[in-house]
Amino acid sequence: MRPVRRNFYDPSSAPGKGIVWEWENDNNSWTPYDMDICITIQNAYEKQHPWLDLSSLGFCYLIYFNSMSQVNRQTQRKRRLRRRMDLAYPLTMGSIPKSQSWPVGTNSGHPCSCQQCLLVNSTRAASNAILASQRRKVYSGNNNGTLAVHQSNTFNGTALWSLGTTPGGGTAKIEQVRSANGVQVTTFSRSQSAPSHTQLPGQNNLNRPGTQRVAILSTRASIPPGVPALPVKNLNGTGPVHPALAGMTGILMCAAGLPVCLTRAPKPILHPPPVNKSDMKPVPGINGICRKTKKKHLKKSKNPEDVVRRYIQKVKNPPDEDCTICMERLVSSSGYEGILRHKGVKPELVGKLGKCGHMYHLLCLVAMYNNGNKDGSLQCPTCKAIYGEKTGTQPPGKMEFHIIPHSLPGYLDCKTIRIVYDVPAGIQGPEHPNPGKKFTARGFPRHCYLPDNEKGRKVLKLLIVAWERRLIFTIGTSNTTGESDTVVWNEIHHKTEFGSNLTGHGYPDSNYLDNVLAELMSQGVSEAGLKD
C-alpha cells in the first residue's frame, strides 16, 4: 500500500490562472509542456524576458517569446510555441467538467515520432515497468481486488479521473470510509471485467501523454519519498553514476519489485544564446577589444645580487631565529654555503625585506631568485608580499573582451562582459618546466564572464594587466585530466558557466568579484598598477 499525493499550485501561478504552454509536434498537433515547465515558462514570460533556457530543467531547448518558438540548442530545430488561457485549474469540490480540467488524455495531443517525443517516452518505459510490478504485488496480495488508498487532509480537492470507470474500460467503485484512528481511507474496487493493466488514478504523473518530463526537473520534489534516485552520467562525463551501471541497477530493482528513479544530472549552461557581431560592443573605459602576448618580453635584471639588494636592508645583529629558506640559524652561515658562490655575497650576511620585515640570509634570497622566473621581482616566502612587478610564464596567446546583450544570474540589471582566451599549443621556453618540449592547449578558446557593472569593469582592467604580465595561465599538470605539459589556470579563478553554477564556476556567486580581486592582489596586480 502506498500513499497517493496531489499537487496544489498557487492561484498566481500558470495553472492557477488557467494558462498552459504548448509546442507543435511533427503531426502538426499541439502538445502541452509539463506543469512544472509551464510555470517556469510563464514566470519568464511575465517578467518580460526575451528568452528562456530550459537546460536547468533537463532540456536542451531555448524559448524565444518574441517569435513564440522553441529552438533545439544541438540541432537548431525550430518549433512553434503557443500560450493557451482557456484551461482553468480546478479550485472547487465536486466533479470537474472534462473541458475545464488540466490537459490530460486525448485533448492534449498524442506524442508523435519526433526526437522530442521519443526522449520523453524513453523515460516513461522505465516508470511503467515499475508501476506494473507494484500493481502485481497489490492485486496478488488482495484477493477481492480492493485497494485501500490513504488520503491526507491536504487532498481536499476533487479527483481528476471519472468516477465509475477505469481507463482500461472496466468499471470501478470508490468508497470512502474512516478508520478507527480517524484517517480517511478511500477504497478503490474494480470488477472482473477490468483489465489487469488498469492504471491506478493519480499514481504516475509521468504517464500522461504529451508531457515533456525527462527524469528530473529543477527539484527532486517529483520523486516519491523513499525512492532512491540515481543521477545518470551525462555524455560530457559529469554525474556520479555511469549510464550502464544505472541501467543495470534499475533492471535489478524493478525485477525485485523495488522502485527506482533514474535521473539525468543537470547540464551546466556554459554559453549564452548566439550573439550577432553587431550586438557585441566594446567595454566603456577600456581601449580596444583585444590584447596579445608574445614570448617573454620583460627585461631581466643585470644579476640576482642587484635584485635582492634592491629590496632588503642589511642586518648587523640578526636574532637567533631560523632562516625559513635554508632552515639554518640566522646567526650562522647560510645553508647554501659551498653550493652558491657570488662575489660580494658572504654566507653569513642577513637582510630584512623592506615592506614586511622578514629576515633571511642574503645568499638564500639569491638562490630563491635564481630558482624563480628571474623577472626582476622578489616574493617573500613567508607572507607572499611582492617586491617589484611580478610576471609569469604564460605562453603566447590572445585575449578578447566585449559586451553581450544578456544578463548573468544574480546580475539581471546589467549586461555581460565576455572574455575569450585563446592560447595555441607550442614549444616550451627556457622559463617552462621542460624547455624544448611540446605543450598542449586543451579547451581553447575559453569563454569567461563578468557582470557589466563598475566592479566587473574594474576586475576586467586588472585581468588585462595580469594577462600582459603573463599571470593568467601557466604550463603544468592539469588537476582535471592529470595531463602534464599542458596549459592550466594560474590561481586566478574565472567564471566559465554563463547561466548556471553547477560546477562552482558560474553564477550566481555574490562573493566572486571580491574573491578574484583578492587573488589578483596576491599576484601583485592592484589598482595602483592601472594606467590612466
Side-chain angles (χ1 to χ4, degrees):
M1 183 185 304
R2 295 185 181 276
V4 177
R5 182 175 63 181
R6 183 182 303 164
N7 292 328
F8 282 83
Y9 295 89
D10 191 272
S12 61
S13 63
K17 297 178 180 179
I19 299 174
V20 57
W21 289 83
E22 298 177 335
W23 53 277
E24 187 179 30
N25 58 35
D26 289 350
N27 293 337
N28 296 324
S29 59
W30 294 92
T31 303
Y33 289 92
D34 194 40
M35 192 179 295
D36 294 329
I37 300 179
C38 281
I39 294 175
T40 303
I41 297 176
Q42 180 63 23
N43 288 340
Y45 180 82
E46 291 177 350
K47 293 178 181 179
Q48 297 182 350
H49 292 177
W51 59 277
L52 173 66
D53 194 336
L54 298 180
S55 298
S56 60
L57 304 182
F59 299 93
C60 58
Y61 299 121
L62 289 172
I63 302 297
Y64 291 97
F65 295 109
N66 292 335
S67 60
M68 290 297 285
S69 61
Q70 168 194 279
V71 178
N72 189 312
R73 298 188 66 160
Q74 297 178 352
T75 64
Q76 299 302 314
R77 174 73 182 275
K78 189 175 183 180
R79 297 179 183 274
R80 288 197 301 165
L81 187 73
R82 75 176 183 181
R83 176 172 175 259
R84 295 182 60 185
M85 302 184 64
D86 57 344
L87 298 167
Y89 187 79
L91 300 175
T92 58
M93 298 288 294
S95 178
I96 302 170
K98 190 172 184 180
S99 60
Q100 293 291 321
S101 62
W102 187 262
V104 294
T106 57
N107 287 340
S108 59
H110 289 286
C112 61
S113 59
C114 66
Q115 293 298 323
Q116 188 166 347
C117 287
L118 292 177
L119 177 65
V120 177
N121 293 336
S122 62
T123 61
R124 295 179 185 151
S127 177
N128 291 339
I130 297 173
L131 293 171
S133 175
Q134 293 175 352
R135 285 195 293 270
R136 286 195 298 270
K137 280 194 166 187
V138 169
Y139 291 129
S140 61
N142 198 341
N143 295 329
N144 59 5
T146 301
L147 173 66
V149 181
H150 288 275
Q151 184 175 2
S152 68
N153 293 331
T154 59
F155 304 153
N156 294 327
T158 58
L160 290 181
W161 60 88
S162 301
L163 301 180
T165 61
T166 62
T171 60
K173 181 180 180 182
I174 297 180
E175 298 177 355
Q176 289 188 350
V177 296
R178 189 170 296 275
S179 60
N181 58 3
V183 178
Q184 183 177 345
V185 178
T186 301
T187 304
F188 179 82
S189 304
R190 63 180 177 87
S191 66
Q192 297 298 326
S193 61
S196 59
H197 62 272
T198 299
Q199 172 69 36
L200 293 182
Q203 192 170 10
N204 183 20
N205 191 35
L206 294 177
N207 230 12
R208 267 185 348 222
T211 57
Q212 282 190 341
R213 182 182 295 270
V214 175
I216 187 170
L217 297 179
S218 57
T219 64
R220 295 179 178 269
S222 59
I223 303 176
V227 177
L230 300 179
V232 180
K233 182 188 293 185
N234 282 330
L235 295 178
N236 59 4
T238 60
V241 182
H242 193 276
L245 178 59
M248 290 301 299
T249 303
I251 293 173
L252 293 175
M253 294 186 72
C254 286
L258 299 174
V260 64
C261 181
L262 299 181
T263 67
R264 172 180 295 177
K267 297 181 180 180
I269 305 174
L270 300 178
H271 304 292
V275 179
N276 296 326
K277 288 187 177 181
S278 59
D279 295 330
M280 300 179 188
K281 305 298 181 182
V283 181
I286 299 179
N287 295 328
I289 58 172
C290 180
R291 297 289 189 276
K292 293 182 180 180
T293 57
K294 300 179 180 179
K295 293 184 178 181
K296 195 165 186 177
H297 57 280
L298 295 178
K299 296 181 180 179
K300 297 182 180 179
S301 300
K302 293 181 179 180
N303 56 67
E305 293 88 345
D306 292 339
V307 174
V308 172
R309 292 180 184 276
R310 187 187 309 165
Y311 303 120
I312 67 167
Q313 302 171 356
K314 289 184 179 180
V315 179
K316 294 182 179 180
N317 299 314
D320 189 12
E321 299 175 356
D322 287 338
C323 171
T324 57
I325 298 177
C326 68
M327 301 309 297
E328 298 289 343
R329 307 298 287 182
L330 291 174
V331 294
S332 62
S333 298
S334 168
Y336 286 93
E337 182 181 12
I339 302 175
L340 291 178
R341 292 185 180 181
H342 291 269
K343 295 180 180 181
V345 180
K346 297 180 179 180
E348 63 273 10
L349 288 179
V350 175
K352 180 176 70 173
L353 291 172
K355 293 181 182 178
C356 59
H358 291 111
M359 289 180 283
Y360 308 94
H361 290 115
L362 197 62
L363 191 60
C364 293
L365 289 173
V366 171
M368 182 185 71
Y369 179 82
N370 284 332
N371 291 329
N373 200 26
K374 301 177 184 178
D375 58 357
S377 68
L378 197 67
Q379 187 167 11
C380 176
T382 300
C383 65
K384 306 303 179 183
I386 296 176
Y387 297 81
E389 185 178 285
K390 179 182 178 181
T391 60
T393 60
Q394 175 181 290
K398 181 173 65 173
M399 174 188 184
E400 296 180 348
F401 40 87
H402 49 256
I403 295 177
I404 58 175
H406 299 296
S407 300
L408 293 166
Y411 296 94
L412 300 179
D413 57 339
C414 61
K415 297 180 181 179
T416 300
I417 300 172
R418 178 165 62 184
I419 307 172
V420 182
Y421 295 110
D422 195 3
V423 178
I427 305 296
Q428 299 185 47
E431 71 274 22
H432 295 138
N434 298 298
K437 185 178 180 180
K438 293 183 178 180
F439 68 87
T440 59
R442 311 293 186 188
F444 288 94
R446 299 185 184 182
H447 293 227
C448 309
Y449 304 95
L450 292 169
D452 182 28
N453 54 22
E454 183 178 356
K455 185 176 286 188
R457 296 190 199 107
K458 174 183 174 182
V459 170
L460 175 62
K461 292 179 181 179
L462 295 177
L463 287 176
I464 294 174
V465 174
W467 171 266
E468 293 174 341
R469 296 182 185 178
R470 306 173 71 207
L471 295 170
I472 301 295
F473 297 100
T474 187
I475 295 178
T477 301
S478 171
N479 293 329
T480 305
T481 64
E483 182 183 11
S484 59
D485 297 309
T486 189
V487 180
V488 296
W489 294 104
N490 187 34
E491 298 181 358
I492 300 177
H493 288 81
H494 287 65
K495 291 295 187 180
T496 54
E497 286 185 58
F498 173 80
S500 60
N501 195 15
L502 300 180
T503 63
H505 303 302
Y507 295 92
D509 186 347
S510 58
N511 297 322
Y512 169 67
L513 296 179
D514 293 327
N515 292 340
V516 74
L517 287 173
E519 291 174 346
L520 288 164
M521 178 71 72
S522 68
Q523 297 287 347
V525 181
S526 62
E527 290 184 83
L530 293 178
K531 298 179 181 179
D532 296 332

